[in-house]
Amino acid sequence: MALRKIVLEGDEVLTKKSRVVEVFDKRLHDLLDDMKETMYHANGVGLAAPQVGILKRVVTIDIGDGCLELVNPELIGAKGESEDTEGCLSLPGVWGITIRPKEVLVIAQDRNGQEIHITANDLLARALCHEIDHLDGILFREHVKEYIEPEEE
Ligand code: CO
């Protein structure tokens, strides 16, 4: 496993659409392992492959109860609204209030290509929407209704 460099806003890789993963091989497993390590090292809740410069539909998420590894995740359903604070490892120091669905249904594949279904609400729903957006080149700024100013020291 190795830490990868997190790409910051301004790099055009973050605005591109990622490709569907068709091969579930060691290369994919290495990417997932590296993304997990990179996410934990940066104290992030989620990371999408474009954030380490790889345009593949791969994300890792851990809201505190174990790591989800999702390949080709798709938002299938969404219900309700939830307003909360959001940030991104690619936009350090930027925080904003966004509105996301309260509850989502996501279908994805695991690292071996097995289909998985995830129903999630609140923080996990928010993280799923945020990371899936990255795979379509969308940053959370597009959802911000109000930025939070950093507190003065
Ligand atoms: Co992000």
Side-chain angles (χ1 to χ4, degrees):
M1 293 211 293
L3 281 180
R4 302 215 185 181
K5 193 168 153 42
I6 297 176
V7 172
L8 299 180
E9 187 184 26
D11 190 312
E12 70 172 20
V13 75
L14 293 177
T15 67
K16 293 188 171 163
K17 207 169 155 71
S18 291
R19 291 179 298 274
V20 171
V21 173
E22 284 165 356
V23 183
F24 295 79
D25 58 358
K26 179 169 187 301
R27 204 178 157 83
L28 174 68
H29 298 172
D30 286 348
L31 172 63
L32 279 162
D33 291 340
D34 288 356
M35 284 174 60
K36 270 197 281 190
E37 189 179 347
T38 305
M39 175 179 79
Y40 289 128
H41 184 261
N43 292 313
V45 168
L47 191 68
Q51 292 182 277
V52 293
I54 306 289
L55 287 169
K56 288 184 180 174
R57 303 189 79 82
V58 176
V59 311
T60 55
I61 293 174
D62 190 342
I63 61 158
D65 45 11
C67 194
L68 276 176
E69 301 176 343
L70 303 178
V71 180
N72 301 326
E74 274 186 74
L75 190 63
I76 297 300
K79 258 201 299 207
E81 279 188 353
S82 152
E83 189 173 311
D84 210 339
T85 308
E86 202 164 316
C88 178
L89 292 175
S90 293
L91 287 74
V94 180
W95 299 92
I97 307 283
T98 61
I99 297 170
R100 296 285 193 179
K102 169 116 182 111
E103 196 180 320
V104 297
L105 171 61
V106 169
I107 295 183
Q109 285 165 285
D110 69 11
R111 61 164 60 206
N112 299 310
Q114 292 298 311
E115 190 171 285
I116 40 181
H117 293 221
I118 301 154
T119 47
N121 50 46
D122 299 311
L123 178 57
L124 184 54
R126 172 169 299 272
L128 285 161
C129 291
H130 178 117
E131 301 312 331
I132 291 171
D133 269 356
H134 272 300
L135 305 181
D136 293 317
I138 297 167
L139 296 178
F140 85 98
R141 277 192 193 283
E142 296 195 22
H143 297 279
V144 171
K145 57 176 261 194
E146 191 185 340
Y147 285 100
I148 298 166
E149 297 300 327
E151 286 183 32
E152 298 290 333
E153 300 254 321

